[in-house]
Amino acid sequence: MRWALPAVALAFLISSDANAVVFGGSNLGFMGYPDSSCRKPYSKPVRPYNFSSQFDIDSYNRQVDEYNFELDHYIRCVKEYVENANNDINRIKEKADDLITDAKSLP
C-alpha cells in the first residue's frame, strides 16, 4: 500500500507531460538541467603588423572567415539554448499554475 501513492503520482506526472501547451525545444534531460554544449570559437585571428605577400593577406582573410563562421555558429547555438531554456521555464510555470488551480478547486 505504501507504493500506491508514489505510483499514482508518477503516473500523473507521466500522463500530464503529454498535455503541456508550451511548444518548442527543450534542454531538460533525465539527469537535470544540462550545461550548454555550445563551443566558443577557438581563437580570434591576430592581424600581422605587416603583410609581406598576397599569401599573407589571403591567409589572414581565411582565418577571419573561419573565425566569423565559428562565431556565427556559436551565437546561433547560444540563442537556441536560451530559447529552449525559456520554453522549459514556461513548462514549469504552467505545471505549477495547473497544480495551484487544481489544489484550489478541492473542497
Side-chain angles (χ1 to χ4, degrees), residues 14-35:
I14 291 172
S15 66
S16 65
D17 284 346
N19 298 328
V21 176
V22 177
F23 295 101
S26 174
N27 296 328
L28 195 57
F30 177 70
M31 298 298 290
Y33 213 77
D35 292 333

Side-chain angles (χ1 to χ4, degrees), residues 16-61:
S16 65
D17 284 346
N19 298 328
V21 176
V22 177
F23 295 101
S26 174
N27 296 328
L28 195 57
F30 177 70
M31 298 298 290
Y33 213 77
D35 292 333
S36 167
S37 62
C38 303
R39 291 188 302 165
K40 294 179 182 178
Y42 179 67
S43 67
K44 189 174 180 178
V46 178
R47 184 171 187 234
Y49 178 73
N50 187 6
F51 290 107
S52 58
S53 69
Q54 185 63 40
F55 177 79
D56 291 342
I57 295 169
D58 292 342
S59 177
Y60 176 70
N61 286 339

Side-chain angles (χ1 to χ4, degrees), residues 62-93:
R62 188 171 39 257
Q63 291 174 21
V64 169
D65 289 343
E66 289 174 11
Y67 177 80
N68 288 340
F69 177 80
E70 291 174 7
L71 181 61
D72 182 57
H73 182 72
Y74 175 70
I75 290 170
R76 282 187 279 122
C77 181
V78 168
K79 285 181 179 180
E80 181 180 1
Y81 179 86
V82 170
E83 182 180 322
N84 289 345
N86 287 329
N87 290 338
D88 293 336
I89 290 168
N90 290 334
R91 284 183 178 100
I92 292 166
K93 286 179 180 178

